[in-house]
């Protein structure tokens, strides 16, 4: 069996950002201790389940996401990592990432994370403009981004990512160019850049519906995306996925797990998994998640992943057509697309035949291009990726 990945969901936030629709909560700090204990219990269950099914327990990546993992104490991160080390086999080259806010990067936390084998830090910078940080509801300023980044680098972290958002209402091209310039001065190993979207049931959704904020301008966002494609290339970064750039060898191993349709197990409230050919996810409520794990602190005898296993809420038993479409869409997110260096020739031939009509339409629209051994989005296709993906669902 191939090594797999672990995702650890930390749902706690100091404040919830107005654009965020992730399974995150503020003012639930009183649940922290019970939640951490439940994570440890679920990790232990999974270790035993894998033993029962004679699969290996080799881990190639661990990702602490949220929420704000850096918001909880470094001792809790250490406890979770110790549980993983005790119950699974971390590959020597395993990538272990943690998401953090810039103003959480104290020397104490950084040293503790380093001692816990964390070797990649993803910093939620979002912007290098205090004006737009306020619009986004962030509680740090641009100076704290630079200070936190430099501190992490000085302590030996050689794999640092910056998250940035573009297409913010009233943000113009000069604003965006300034943020990119400031980010590149730091020379991060990896940059993820996402166009702002207004998600349902967020504060931004309410503000737009009430006329308090305009919808993001898609034409301006497209110009910002095209600018950054050129600028990143000029500065030695490889564009390897629609929203992700890295220096050579610094691609996110964990995120590549998703785009290659490889196996991962999600631990925590609302965490999703893809394992043994199934997609499934846990209950969203941290309180309900804790209660379910509290009831089952003894060894589980489950030999099948099903609703009720650990804290699983739903299992998706999807058909072969959906499975192929999922793998195809995820692979198309890669700039090199569905390529024989990653995907088998038989899979490329299968999707070429299965979606012959759709592929030809998209080629005519200059959104897809096809060669002897690959199918990939064009530059224009990356701008209109969701339209492309919709064709295959």
């Amino acid at each position: 069996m191939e090594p797999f990945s672990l995702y650890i969901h930390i749902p706690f936030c100091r404040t919830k950002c107005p654009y965020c629709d992730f399974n995150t909560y503020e003012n639930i700090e009183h649940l922290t201790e019970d939640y951490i204990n439940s994570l440890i219990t679920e990790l232990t269950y999974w270790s035993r389940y894998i033993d029962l099914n004679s699969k290996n327990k080799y881990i190639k990546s661990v990702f602490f996401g949220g929420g704000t993992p850096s918001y909880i104490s470094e001792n809790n991160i250490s406890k979770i990592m110790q549980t993983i080390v005790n119950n699974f086999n971390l590959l020597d080259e395993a990538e272990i990432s943690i998401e953090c806010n810039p103003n959480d990067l104290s020397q104490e936390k950084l040293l503790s994370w380093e001692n816990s084998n964390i070797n990649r830090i993803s910093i939620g910078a979002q912007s290098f403009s205090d004006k737009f940080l306020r619009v986004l509801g962030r509680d740090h300023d641009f100076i704290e981004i630079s200070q936190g980044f430099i501190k992490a680098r000085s302590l030996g972290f050689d794999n640092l990512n910056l998250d940035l958002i573009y297409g913010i209402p009233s943000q113009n091209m000069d604003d965006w160019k300034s943020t990119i310039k400031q980010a590149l001065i730091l020379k991060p190993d990896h940059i993820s850049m996402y166009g702002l979207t207004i998600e349902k049931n967020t504060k931004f959704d309410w503000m737009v519906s009430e006329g308090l904020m305009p919808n993001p301008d898609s034409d301006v966002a497209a110009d910002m995306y095209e600018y950054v494609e050129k600028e990143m290339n000029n500065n030695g970064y490889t564009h390897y996925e629609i929203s992700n750039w890295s220096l050579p060898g610094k691609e996110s191993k964990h995120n590549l797990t998703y785009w290659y349709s490889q196996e991962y197990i999600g631990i925590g409230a609302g965490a999703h998994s893809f394992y043994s050919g199934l997609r499934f996810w846990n209950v969203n409520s941290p309180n309900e998640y804790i209660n379910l794990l509290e009831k089952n602190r003894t060894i589980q005898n489950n030999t099948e992943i099903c609703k009720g296993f650990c804290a699983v809420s739903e299992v998706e038993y999807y058909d072969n057509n959906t499975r192929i479409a999922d793998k195809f869409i995820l692979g198309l997110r890669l700039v090199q697309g569905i390529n024989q260096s990653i995907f088998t020739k038989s899979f490329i031939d299968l999707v070429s035949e299965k979606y012959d009509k759709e592929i030809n339409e998209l080629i005519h629209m200059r959104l897809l291009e096809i060669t002897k051994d690959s199918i990939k989005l064009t530059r224009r296709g990356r701008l209109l990726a969701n339209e492309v993906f919709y064709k295959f669902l």
Side-chain angles (χ1 to χ4, degrees), residues 46 49-50 53 55 263 265 273-281 302-310 312 314-317:
W46 269 109
Y49 173 86
I50 293 167
N53 288 271
K55 291 191 175 185
E263 291 188 321
I265 293 171
S273 303
F274 175 55
Y275 194 73
S276 292
L278 298 172
R279 294 194 186 279
F280 48 95
W281 51 96
N302 301 54
T303 57
E304 179 185 0
I305 300 169
C306 59
K307 190 173 179 179
F309 175 83
C310 291
V312 172
E314 298 292 338
V315 180
E316 185 178 4
Y317 298 94

Side-chain angles (χ1 to χ4, degrees), residues 61-78:
S61 70
V62 179
F63 194 98
F64 287 85
T68 314
S70 62
Y71 182 42
I72 66 173
S73 76
E74 57 271 29
N75 290 336
N76 282 326
I77 297 295
S78 178

Side-chain angles (χ1 to χ4, degrees), residues 118-388:
I118 289 170
N119 52 28
R120 183 176 185 271
I121 298 177
S122 181
I123 302 171
Q126 315 311 359
S127 176
F128 278 80
S129 160
D130 284 349
K131 171 186 173 182
F132 292 109
L133 287 170
R134 298 291 83 78
V135 172
L136 294 170
R138 305 297 289 174
D139 63 357
H140 63 266
D141 59 35
F142 84 92
I143 292 176
E144 288 175 304
I145 300 171
S146 297
Q147 288 176 338
F149 186 100
I150 292 168
K151 193 182 300 177
R153 189 69 95 198
S154 71
L155 292 174
F157 286 95
D158 63 356
N159 199 351
L160 300 177
N161 170 67
L162 291 177
D163 279 350
L164 299 174
I165 294 176
Y166 61 92
I168 306 165
S170 82
Q171 184 186 39
N172 60 37
M173 185 60 78
D174 285 341
D175 297 324
W176 180 232
K177 286 181 178 179
S178 176
T179 276
I180 296 303
K181 180 181 177 180
Q182 293 299 317
L184 290 173
I185 286 172
L186 294 175
K187 199 69 174 177
D189 307 281
H190 189 283
I191 304 185
S192 299
M193 292 182 252
Y194 304 101
L196 178 67
T197 56
I198 305 300
E199 304 293 350
K200 293 291 184 184
N201 302 316
T202 61
K203 185 177 179 181
F204 272 4
D205 182 38
W206 172 80
M207 290 174 70
V208 169
S209 68
E210 293 294 314
L212 301 174
M213 185 179 81
N215 264 310
D217 188 317
S218 58
D219 290 333
V220 172
D223 289 342
M224 291 175 175
Y225 185 83
E226 290 187 322
Y227 166 77
V228 86
E229 279 193 302
K230 295 174 184 175
E231 193 67 11
M232 295 301 287
N233 181 62
N234 291 340
N235 282 273
Y237 287 82
T238 300
H239 190 189
Y240 73 99
E241 191 271 346
I242 290 175
S243 303
N244 289 272
W245 288 258
S246 76
L247 293 175
K250 296 294 187 177
E251 299 86 353
S252 168
K253 292 179 182 178
H254 187 85
N255 285 340
L256 285 171
T257 294
Y258 302 145
W259 301 320
Y260 292 169
S261 295
Q262 295 171 342
E263 291 188 321
Y264 57 92
I265 293 171
I267 305 295
H272 283 234
S273 303
F274 175 55
Y275 194 73
S276 292
L278 298 172
R279 294 194 186 279
F280 48 95
W281 51 96
N282 287 345
V283 294
N284 279 333
S285 163
N287 218 6
E288 186 179 356
Y289 171 79
I290 291 166
N291 289 337
L292 285 170
L293 271 300
E294 284 278 356
K295 290 176 183 176
N296 297 286
R297 291 225 183 266
T298 56
I299 298 174
Q300 286 198 342
N301 294 316
N302 301 54
T303 57
E304 179 185 0
I305 300 169
C306 59
K307 190 173 179 179
F309 175 83
C310 291
V312 172
S313 170
E314 298 292 338
V315 180
E316 185 178 4
Y317 298 94
Y318 55 7
D319 61 25
N320 198 46
N321 287 333
T322 307
R323 194 185 312 277
I324 292 168
D326 276 3
K327 187 173 183 177
F328 188 35
I329 288 168
L330 287 167
L332 281 179
R333 292 194 62 89
L334 297 164
V335 172
Q336 64 179 309
I338 308 295
N339 187 287
Q340 275 197 56
S341 65
I342 303 163
F343 299 86
T344 64
K345 185 177 186 302
S346 60
F347 179 73
I348 295 173
D349 291 342
L350 173 65
V351 296
S352 298
E353 180 180 350
K354 182 177 178 60
Y355 298 116
D356 179 65
K357 177 175 176 290
E358 291 83 356
I359 288 172
N360 283 324
E361 285 179 4
L362 291 164
I363 290 172
H364 181 71
M365 295 166 67
R366 295 184 294 113
L367 300 177
L368 266 191
E369 55 184 318
I370 188 167
T371 65
K372 181 180 178 182
D373 62 356
S374 70
I375 306 169
K376 63 181 181 179
L377 295 172
T378 62
R379 285 190 66 193
R380 184 167 180 265
R382 291 197 289 272
L383 286 169
L384 300 169
N386 286 341
E387 291 186 27
V388 176

